[in-house]
Short mmCIF file of all heavy atoms in Angstrom, two decimals:
data_model
loop_
_atom_site.label_atom_id
_atom_site.label_comp_id
_atom_site.label_asym_id
_atom_site.label_seq_id
_atom_site.Cartn_x
_atom_site.Cartn_y
_atom_site.Cartn_z
N VAL A 4 9.41 7.17 -20.06
CA VAL A 4 9.48 6.53 -18.76
C VAL A 4 9.68 5.03 -18.94
O VAL A 4 8.95 4.39 -19.71
CB VAL A 4 8.21 6.80 -17.93
CG1 VAL A 4 8.19 5.95 -16.68
CG2 VAL A 4 8.11 8.27 -17.58
N LYS A 103 10.94 3.46 -13.57
CA LYS A 103 10.10 4.27 -12.68
C LYS A 103 8.93 3.45 -12.14
O LYS A 103 8.48 3.69 -11.01
CB LYS A 103 9.55 5.48 -13.44
CG LYS A 103 10.60 6.47 -13.91
CD LYS A 103 11.15 7.27 -12.75
CE LYS A 103 11.99 8.43 -13.24
NZ LYS A 103 12.58 9.20 -12.12
N VAL A 104 8.42 2.53 -12.95
CA VAL A 104 7.29 1.69 -12.55
C VAL A 104 7.74 0.24 -12.64
O VAL A 104 8.28 -0.19 -13.66
CB VAL A 104 6.07 1.92 -13.46
CG1 VAL A 104 4.92 1.00 -13.05
CG2 VAL A 104 5.64 3.37 -13.43
N ASN A 131 12.49 8.01 -7.03
CA ASN A 131 11.17 8.06 -7.66
C ASN A 131 10.88 6.77 -8.39
O ASN A 131 11.17 6.61 -9.57
CB ASN A 131 11.06 9.25 -8.61
CG ASN A 131 10.59 10.51 -7.90
OD1 ASN A 131 9.66 10.46 -7.10
ND2 ASN A 131 11.24 11.63 -8.19
N VAL A 132 10.32 5.81 -7.67
CA VAL A 132 9.96 4.53 -8.26
C VAL A 132 8.71 4.04 -7.57
O VAL A 132 8.48 4.31 -6.38
CB VAL A 132 11.11 3.51 -8.12
CG1 VAL A 132 11.42 3.22 -6.66
CG2 VAL A 132 10.80 2.23 -8.88
N LEU A 133 7.85 3.34 -8.32
CA LEU A 133 6.60 2.82 -7.79
C LEU A 133 6.53 1.33 -8.09
O LEU A 133 6.59 0.92 -9.25
CB LEU A 133 5.43 3.56 -8.43
CG LEU A 133 4.07 3.52 -7.73
CD1 LEU A 133 4.17 4.06 -6.32
CD2 LEU A 133 3.05 4.30 -8.54
N VAL A 135 4.28 -1.86 -8.19
CA VAL A 135 2.87 -2.22 -8.28
C VAL A 135 2.79 -3.74 -8.21
O VAL A 135 3.36 -4.44 -9.04
CB VAL A 135 2.26 -1.69 -9.59
CG1 VAL A 135 0.78 -2.03 -9.67
CG2 VAL A 135 2.47 -0.18 -9.70
N MET A 158 2.22 -0.34 -4.16
CA MET A 158 0.77 -0.35 -4.32
C MET A 158 0.27 -1.78 -4.45
O MET A 158 0.81 -2.56 -5.24
CB MET A 158 0.33 0.45 -5.54
CG MET A 158 0.61 1.94 -5.46
SD MET A 158 -0.07 2.86 -6.86
CE MET A 158 -1.83 2.79 -6.48
N ILE A 181 -5.86 -0.22 -4.76
CA ILE A 181 -6.57 0.06 -6.00
C ILE A 181 -6.91 -1.28 -6.65
O ILE A 181 -6.40 -2.33 -6.22
CB ILE A 181 -5.68 0.94 -6.93
CG1 ILE A 181 -6.49 1.63 -8.02
CG2 ILE A 181 -4.52 0.12 -7.51
CD1 ILE A 181 -5.71 2.73 -8.73
N VAL A 215 -2.73 -1.69 -13.76
CA VAL A 215 -2.41 -0.50 -12.97
C VAL A 215 -1.00 -0.01 -13.27
O VAL A 215 -0.76 1.19 -13.44
CB VAL A 215 -2.58 -0.79 -11.46
CG1 VAL A 215 -2.14 0.41 -10.63
CG2 VAL A 215 -4.03 -1.15 -11.16
N ALA A 216 -0.05 -0.94 -13.35
CA ALA A 216 1.34 -0.55 -13.67
C ALA A 216 1.42 0.10 -15.04
O ALA A 216 2.16 1.07 -15.24
CB ALA A 216 2.24 -1.78 -13.60
N VAL A 218 -0.98 1.78 -16.58
CA VAL A 218 -1.53 3.13 -16.49
C VAL A 218 -0.54 4.07 -15.82
O VAL A 218 -0.35 5.22 -16.24
CB VAL A 218 -2.87 3.11 -15.73
CG1 VAL A 218 -3.34 4.54 -15.44
CG2 VAL A 218 -3.94 2.37 -16.53
N ALA A 219 0.12 3.58 -14.77
CA ALA A 219 1.12 4.41 -14.09
C ALA A 219 2.22 4.85 -15.05
O ALA A 219 2.62 6.02 -15.08
CB ALA A 219 1.72 3.64 -12.91
N ALA A 220 2.73 3.89 -15.84
CA ALA A 220 3.78 4.23 -16.81
C ALA A 220 3.27 5.18 -17.88
O ALA A 220 3.97 6.11 -18.31
CB ALA A 220 4.31 2.95 -17.45
N LEU A 221 2.02 4.96 -18.29
CA LEU A 221 1.44 5.81 -19.34
C LEU A 221 1.30 7.25 -18.89
O LEU A 221 1.75 8.19 -19.58
CB LEU A 221 0.07 5.24 -19.73
CG LEU A 221 -0.72 6.03 -20.79
CD1 LEU A 221 -0.01 5.98 -22.12
CD2 LEU A 221 -2.14 5.48 -20.91
N ILE A 222 0.71 7.47 -17.72
CA ILE A 222 0.50 8.85 -17.27
C ILE A 222 1.82 9.51 -16.87
O ILE A 222 2.00 10.72 -17.05
CB ILE A 222 -0.52 8.92 -16.13
CG1 ILE A 222 -0.02 8.20 -14.87
CG2 ILE A 222 -1.87 8.35 -16.57
CD1 ILE A 222 -0.95 8.36 -13.66
N TRP A 223 2.76 8.71 -16.37
CA TRP A 223 4.07 9.27 -16.00
C TRP A 223 4.84 9.70 -17.24
O TRP A 223 5.59 10.68 -17.21
CB TRP A 223 4.87 8.24 -15.21
CG TRP A 223 5.75 8.83 -14.14
CD1 TRP A 223 6.24 10.10 -14.08
CD2 TRP A 223 6.25 8.16 -12.98
NE1 TRP A 223 7.01 10.27 -12.95
CE2 TRP A 223 7.04 9.10 -12.27
CE3 TRP A 223 6.14 6.87 -12.48
CZ2 TRP A 223 7.69 8.78 -11.08
CZ3 TRP A 223 6.78 6.55 -11.29
CH2 TRP A 223 7.55 7.49 -10.61
N SER A 224 4.65 8.99 -18.34
CA SER A 224 5.33 9.37 -19.58
C SER A 224 4.84 10.71 -20.11
O SER A 224 5.58 11.43 -20.80
CB SER A 224 5.13 8.28 -20.65
OG SER A 224 3.78 8.23 -21.08
N HIS A 225 3.61 11.07 -19.77
CA HIS A 225 3.08 12.38 -20.16
C HIS A 225 3.54 13.47 -19.21
O HIS A 225 3.53 14.66 -19.58
CB HIS A 225 1.55 12.33 -20.18
CG HIS A 225 0.97 11.62 -21.36
ND1 HIS A 225 0.61 12.25 -22.53
CD2 HIS A 225 0.71 10.30 -21.57
CE1 HIS A 225 0.14 11.38 -23.40
NE2 HIS A 225 0.18 10.18 -22.84
N HIS A 226 3.92 13.09 -17.99
CA HIS A 226 4.36 14.06 -16.98
C HIS A 226 5.62 13.53 -16.29
O HIS A 226 5.60 13.19 -15.11
CB HIS A 226 3.25 14.29 -15.96
CG HIS A 226 2.02 14.95 -16.52
ND1 HIS A 226 1.88 16.31 -16.60
CD2 HIS A 226 0.90 14.41 -17.06
CE1 HIS A 226 0.71 16.60 -17.15
NE2 HIS A 226 0.09 15.47 -17.44
N PRO A 227 6.73 13.47 -17.02
CA PRO A 227 7.94 12.83 -16.50
C PRO A 227 8.58 13.54 -15.32
O PRO A 227 9.41 12.95 -14.63
CB PRO A 227 8.88 12.83 -17.71
CG PRO A 227 8.37 13.92 -18.60
CD PRO A 227 6.90 13.95 -18.41
N THR A 228 8.21 14.79 -15.06
CA THR A 228 8.80 15.50 -13.93
C THR A 228 8.04 15.27 -12.62
O THR A 228 8.48 15.72 -11.56
CB THR A 228 8.85 17.02 -14.21
OG1 THR A 228 7.52 17.51 -14.40
CG2 THR A 228 9.69 17.31 -15.45
N LYS A 229 6.92 14.58 -12.68
CA LYS A 229 6.14 14.31 -11.48
C LYS A 229 6.87 13.29 -10.60
O LYS A 229 7.66 12.47 -11.07
CB LYS A 229 4.75 13.78 -11.84
CG LYS A 229 3.86 14.79 -12.53
CD LYS A 229 3.47 15.94 -11.62
CE LYS A 229 2.47 16.86 -12.28
NZ LYS A 229 2.13 18.03 -11.42
N SER A 230 6.58 13.34 -9.32
CA SER A 230 7.17 12.41 -8.37
C SER A 230 6.35 11.14 -8.29
O SER A 230 5.18 11.09 -8.73
CB SER A 230 7.26 13.05 -6.99
OG SER A 230 5.95 13.25 -6.45
N ALA A 231 6.94 10.11 -7.69
CA ALA A 231 6.20 8.86 -7.49
C ALA A 231 4.97 9.10 -6.61
O ALA A 231 3.90 8.52 -6.84
CB ALA A 231 7.11 7.82 -6.85
N ALA A 232 5.11 9.97 -5.62
CA ALA A 232 3.98 10.28 -4.74
C ALA A 232 2.84 10.91 -5.51
O ALA A 232 1.66 10.61 -5.27
CB ALA A 232 4.43 11.19 -3.61
N GLU A 233 3.15 11.79 -6.45
CA GLU A 233 2.11 12.45 -7.25
C GLU A 233 1.44 11.47 -8.20
O GLU A 233 0.21 11.53 -8.41
CB GLU A 233 2.72 13.62 -8.02
CG GLU A 233 3.10 14.79 -7.14
CD GLU A 233 3.87 15.87 -7.90
OE1 GLU A 233 4.88 15.54 -8.55
OE2 GLU A 233 3.47 17.05 -7.83
N ILE A 234 2.22 10.56 -8.78
CA ILE A 234 1.64 9.55 -9.67
C ILE A 234 0.72 8.64 -8.89
O ILE A 234 -0.41 8.33 -9.32
CB ILE A 234 2.75 8.74 -10.37
CG1 ILE A 234 3.59 9.64 -11.27
CG2 ILE A 234 2.14 7.59 -11.17
CD1 ILE A 234 2.83 10.33 -12.39
N ARG A 235 1.16 8.22 -7.71
CA ARG A 235 0.32 7.35 -6.88
C ARG A 235 -0.97 8.07 -6.48
O ARG A 235 -2.05 7.49 -6.53
CB ARG A 235 1.09 6.92 -5.63
CG ARG A 235 0.25 6.11 -4.66
CD ARG A 235 1.06 5.58 -3.50
NE ARG A 235 0.24 4.72 -2.65
CZ ARG A 235 0.71 3.74 -1.90
NH1 ARG A 235 2.00 3.50 -1.88
NH2 ARG A 235 -0.11 3.01 -1.18
N LEU A 236 -0.84 9.33 -6.08
CA LEU A 236 -2.01 10.09 -5.67
C LEU A 236 -3.00 10.24 -6.83
O LEU A 236 -4.22 10.12 -6.64
CB LEU A 236 -1.58 11.47 -5.17
CG LEU A 236 -2.68 12.36 -4.59
CD1 LEU A 236 -3.34 11.70 -3.39
CD2 LEU A 236 -2.11 13.73 -4.20
N ALA A 237 -2.49 10.49 -8.02
CA ALA A 237 -3.36 10.61 -9.19
C ALA A 237 -4.10 9.30 -9.47
O ALA A 237 -5.30 9.30 -9.79
CB ALA A 237 -2.56 11.04 -10.41
N LEU A 238 -3.40 8.18 -9.36
CA LEU A 238 -4.03 6.88 -9.57
C LEU A 238 -5.14 6.63 -8.56
O LEU A 238 -6.25 6.21 -8.92
CB LEU A 238 -2.98 5.76 -9.48
CG LEU A 238 -1.94 5.69 -10.59
CD1 LEU A 238 -0.85 4.69 -10.22
CD2 LEU A 238 -2.58 5.29 -11.92
N GLU A 239 -4.85 6.89 -7.28
CA GLU A 239 -5.82 6.61 -6.23
C GLU A 239 -7.00 7.57 -6.27
O GLU A 239 -8.16 7.16 -6.11
CB GLU A 239 -5.12 6.67 -4.87
CG GLU A 239 -4.10 5.56 -4.66
CD GLU A 239 -3.35 5.68 -3.34
OE1 GLU A 239 -3.37 6.77 -2.73
OE2 GLU A 239 -2.71 4.69 -2.93
N CYS A 240 -6.70 8.84 -6.45
CA CYS A 240 -7.76 9.85 -6.38
C CYS A 240 -8.68 9.79 -7.59
O CYS A 240 -9.86 10.15 -7.50
CB CYS A 240 -7.14 11.23 -6.26
SG CYS A 240 -8.31 12.52 -5.82
N SER A 241 -8.18 9.33 -8.72
CA SER A 241 -8.99 9.27 -9.95
C SER A 241 -9.66 7.93 -10.15
O SER A 241 -10.45 7.76 -11.09
CB SER A 241 -8.10 9.57 -11.16
OG SER A 241 -7.13 8.55 -11.33
N ALA A 267 -6.99 9.73 -14.45
CA ALA A 267 -5.67 10.00 -13.86
C ALA A 267 -4.89 11.01 -14.69
O ALA A 267 -4.25 11.93 -14.15
CB ALA A 267 -4.90 8.70 -13.73
N LEU A 268 -4.94 10.85 -16.02
CA LEU A 268 -4.21 11.77 -16.89
C LEU A 268 -4.83 13.17 -16.84
O LEU A 268 -4.10 14.17 -16.79
CB LEU A 268 -4.22 11.24 -18.32
CG LEU A 268 -3.35 12.02 -19.33
CD1 LEU A 268 -1.90 12.07 -18.86
CD2 LEU A 268 -3.44 11.39 -20.71
N MET A 270 -6.30 14.47 -14.34
CA MET A 270 -5.93 15.07 -13.06
C MET A 270 -4.52 15.65 -13.10
O MET A 270 -4.27 16.76 -12.61
CB MET A 270 -6.04 14.02 -11.96
CG MET A 270 -5.71 14.53 -10.57
SD MET A 270 -6.23 13.37 -9.29
CE MET A 270 -8.01 13.59 -9.39
N LEU A 271 -3.60 14.92 -13.72
CA LEU A 271 -2.23 15.42 -13.84
C LEU A 271 -2.17 16.61 -14.79
O LEU A 271 -1.42 17.56 -14.56
CB LEU A 271 -1.31 14.31 -14.32
CG LEU A 271 -1.00 13.20 -13.31
CD1 LEU A 271 -0.17 12.10 -13.97
CD2 LEU A 271 -0.27 13.74 -12.09
N PHE A 276 -5.43 18.46 -7.35
CA PHE A 276 -5.57 17.31 -6.46
C PHE A 276 -6.49 17.63 -5.29
O PHE A 276 -6.46 16.94 -4.27
CB PHE A 276 -4.19 16.89 -5.93
CG PHE A 276 -3.26 16.39 -7.00
CD1 PHE A 276 -2.36 17.23 -7.61
CD2 PHE A 276 -3.30 15.06 -7.37
CE1 PHE A 276 -1.49 16.76 -8.60
CE2 PHE A 276 -2.43 14.57 -8.35
CZ PHE A 276 -1.54 15.42 -8.96
#
Side-chain angles (χ1 to χ4, degrees):
V4 171
K103 295 287 191 182
V104 179
N131 271 316
V132 62
L133 200 57
V135 182
M158 294 186 72
I181 199 167
V215 175
V218 171
L221 178 67
I222 64 175
W223 214 338
S224 68
H225 285 267
H226 294 273
T228 61
K229 293 293 186 182
S230 67
E233 289 173 307
I234 297 299
R235 175 175 185 154
L236 185 60
L238 291 170
E239 293 176 343
C240 192
S241 66
L268 187 57
M270 181 166 288
L271 288 175
F276 295 94

